Amino acid sequence: MAAWLFAAVFFSTTLIADDRPLYSLESGMNELVYRLSRSVVTVESSNRPGQGRVSRLPAGGVVQSLISSGIICDSSGHIVVAAAAVAGRERILVTFDNRTLPAKVVAVDYPTELAVLHVPARLGAPVTYSSRQICAGQLVVAMGNAYGMRATPTLGFCAGARSDGMLQFTARITSGSKGGGVFDLSGNLLGVVTGSMGSTDAVMLAVPAYQLPGIVEFLLTKGDRPAGFIGVSTVDIETVDMPRDAEPGDLTPSVHAVALSLDKGVVVTYVVPVSPAAVAGIRRGDVITGFGHQPVSSAAELAQWVKQTRPGSLVSLEFIRNNTYADIQLQIGRKTLNASQTEFGSTMFDEPSAPSPDSLTRLIEYLKQEVSRLESRVERFR
């Protein structure tokens, strides 16, 4: 009997000791999530009923309101949000715990697609910004609205900084979590979520937190910061060599193939009607090789340069069409934002197009068609 009691006490003590790190981890995570939740709000934007100004889906449906997230950036009622979630909306409400307050857009930063809202009261606790510019491999906690829950945590990892300056995280995103924050395990904000990648929205894109103080200060003191726009979607190209049997003029640049051997440039996949690019004569399938007399090496690089160029400026655009180099003068337009673009999957032009299984399938089909066309031409000359 004594031996049995000794064994019971010994093993129960060992189990408790072994579980202690797990209890400590759980307790620490609970505390962290609660602390971070005090800096996250829910943002609801809508049009006033009866005015007839509503967002329409491609299928013809009508959207009356949009749900997103926001980050409390100071104790004066200022909140950082994803600009596209509030763009053009007549009524904006901010909810924190059981309080719902009206909010107004102070200003919009079009290059980063962030906006600052103001509410007439202090809510929660301002975030603390991380000064780190590199976070690859770091474990992170993303916080934002998900299916009606104001601050839903999601664990993930930082993949690193992209060539366009955005941070990329492997953490699932919902439409309501845009405008939310990604935090390190010390509770410091690493970035504000503005978009996603992948067909399952399993990758978050965020504006780095170290840029936010400067952005907020600019918007509060100087108002909107404009960004350039030309109206194209583009994809990167790899080196594409002409088929051995083809003559120099046989192939025409298309969405997926280029007739010259290139290691730089981007392929235009879509041109917005009546946009600066369309007015200048850019077409789907053109290969843009230079912008402002600087070589273009990636779609992300071109998008960044366009954003940073002052609207109204005249810029030289070099491209290839029908195996011929051309150079035109293009007037930069002004970027605008629409709430339905971010929430319902419409293409954000002047942004790089991400490859997908569907695009790869279309690429294969296109190449098959090109081979058949070339074979037919060869047969005619035999």
Side-chain angles (χ1 to χ4, degrees):
M1 184 67 176
W4 181 85
L5 289 173
F6 175 80
V9 172
F10 174 80
F11 285 112
S12 64
T13 303
T14 302
L15 288 174
I16 292 173
D18 289 343
D19 286 346
R20 194 167 299 153
L22 296 179
Y23 289 135
S24 178
L25 174 63
E26 182 181 27
S27 176
M29 287 300 297
N30 287 342
E31 181 181 347
L32 175 64
V33 168
Y34 175 77
R35 181 156 53 93
L36 299 182
S37 73
R38 311 315 295 165
S39 301
V40 179
V41 302
T42 292
V43 179
E44 180 179 0
S45 60
S46 61
N47 289 301
R48 291 188 177 92
Q51 292 193 344
R53 296 169 61 184
V54 296
S55 298
R56 296 188 179 275
L57 294 174
V62 177
V63 177
Q64 291 290 349
S65 62
L66 298 174
I67 301 296
S68 60
S69 303
I71 296 297
I72 299 171
C73 61
D74 61 26
S75 58
S76 300
H78 293 115
I79 296 166
V80 175
V81 298
V86 297
R89 311 301 281 187
E90 298 290 336
R91 184 167 178 260
I92 302 172
L93 298 175
V94 169
T95 300
F96 180 84
D97 287 344
N98 296 320
R99 300 180 66 186
T100 298
L101 298 171
K104 293 184 178 181
V105 177
V106 176
V108 175
D109 188 64
Y110 287 93
T112 59
E113 298 181 12
L114 292 176
V116 172
L117 302 180
H118 183 261
V119 295
R122 177 174 177 173
L123 295 176
V127 294
T128 56
Y129 299 110
S130 171
S131 60
R132 297 187 59 178
Q133 299 186 25
I134 300 174
C135 64
Q138 189 171 0
L139 184 65
V140 298
V141 179
M143 298 284 289
N145 185 286
Y147 309 109
M149 300 296 292
R150 176 178 60 81
T152 301
T154 302
L155 286 175
F157 288 91
C158 176
R162 297 163 51 83
S163 58
D164 57 2
M166 299 286 283
L167 292 178
Q168 182 172 316
F169 299 92
T170 54
R172 190 170 180 81
I173 183 175
T174 67
S175 60
S177 57
K178 291 177 181 177
V182 183
F183 301 84
D184 61 25
L185 296 189
S186 297
N188 297 319
L189 182 70
L190 291 171
V192 175
V193 179
T194 57
S196 63
M197 292 181 63
S199 57
T200 60
D201 287 334
V203 175
M204 286 182 173
L205 299 179
V207 177
Y210 70 86
Q211 298 179 5
L212 293 179
I215 293 172
V216 171
E217 181 181 3
F218 184 98
L219 297 183
L220 293 181
T221 57
K222 299 183 179 180
D224 292 351
R225 185 167 65 144
F229 169 80
I230 62 174
V232 296
S233 293
T234 57
V235 293
D236 294 338
I237 63 170
E238 303 294 338
T239 299
V240 180
D241 293 319
M242 187 184 304
R244 294 179 182 177
D245 297 333
E247 294 297 327
D250 273 350
L251 293 179
T252 299
S254 74
V255 176
H256 295 298
V258 182
L260 301 175
S261 179
L262 297 171
D263 59 2
K264 299 288 184 183
V266 297
V267 182
V268 176
T269 59
Y270 184 80
V271 180
V272 179
V274 202
S275 65
V279 171
I282 297 298
R283 302 175 188 172
R284 180 176 181 263
D286 289 346
V287 182
I288 298 175
T289 58
F291 181 85
H293 302 294
Q294 296 294 323
V296 174
S297 60
S298 70
E301 182 179 62
L302 175 63
Q304 192 70 4
W305 284 350
V306 170
K307 287 180 184 178
Q308 294 173 353
T309 305
R310 183 182 297 275
S313 303
L314 284 176
V315 175
S316 172
L317 194 70
E318 297 89 43
F319 64 97
I320 298 171
R321 180 186 298 159
N322 296 332
N323 297 338
T324 301
Y325 286 91
D327 186 334
I328 60 173
Q329 291 292 307
L330 180 148
Q331 186 172 33
I332 303 296
R334 181 180 294 270
K335 183 175 182 177
T336 60
L337 294 172
N338 186 301
S340 62
Q341 289 177 314
T342 291
E343 298 302 319
F344 301 106
S346 300
T347 302
M348 297 295 287
F349 301 105
D350 289 353
E351 298 292 344
S353 301
S356 66
D358 287 342
S359 67
L360 294 177
T361 300
R362 290 194 296 270
L363 170 58
I364 293 171
E365 290 301 319
Y366 169 80
L367 293 177
K368 288 180 179 179
Q369 294 172 9
E370 284 297 306
V371 170
S372 297
R373 187 179 67 83
L374 289 173
E375 288 177 345
S376 298
R377 294 190 64 177
V378 170
E379 287 295 330
R380 290 200 300 269
F381 288 103
R382 282 182 178 177

